[in-house]
Amino acid sequence: RRTLPDMTQPLTELERSLLDFAGQTWRSRGWQEQAIRDLFAMSATRYHQLVHGLLDRPEALVHAPTTVRRLQRLRDRRARERASRPMALTAR
């Protein structure tokens, strides 16, 4: 009987740092964006892409369960809000 290989990969140091940073609270989005540029040498857009890519990884949930669950709730709420909006008609 064959078993499937373990497809989980341990989090990299960068991924752990991103999750730890995501768990912090900020008074200003501008300060957060500057800190992202200073700490990770990337744009805020890229940072958010990487963090959201981690949300469904079991390793991320083990590393930062509170942060991951909070971000999953926010993601799911935003998806529900987008789905409930009426579709805009575009003029041609």
Side-chain angles (χ1 to χ4, degrees), residues 21-74:
F21 185 86
Q24 298 178 27
T25 56
W26 295 86
R27 290 183 184 208
S28 163
R29 189 168 241 344
W31 290 353
Q32 181 187 31
E33 290 179 4
Q34 184 62 49
I36 290 167
R37 285 190 295 275
D38 293 345
L39 291 172
F40 302 113
M42 66 179 68
S43 70
T45 300
R46 183 66 182 141
Y47 160 81
H48 289 291
Q49 289 171 340
L50 293 173
V51 169
H52 286 281
L54 293 169
L55 295 183
D56 293 319
R57 289 188 52 195
E59 305 87 6
L61 187 59
V62 169
H63 177 75
T66 304
T67 299
V68 169
R69 286 190 187 109
R70 178 177 56 83
L71 293 174
Q72 286 172 335
R73 283 192 306 271
L74 284 170

Side-chain angles (χ1 to χ4, degrees), residues 69-82:
R69 286 190 187 109
R70 178 177 56 83
L71 293 174
Q72 286 172 335
R73 283 192 306 271
L74 284 170
R75 177 189 64 186
D76 295 345
R77 186 185 78 213
R78 289 177 181 144
R80 283 191 307 274
E81 288 171 357
R82 277 192 306 276

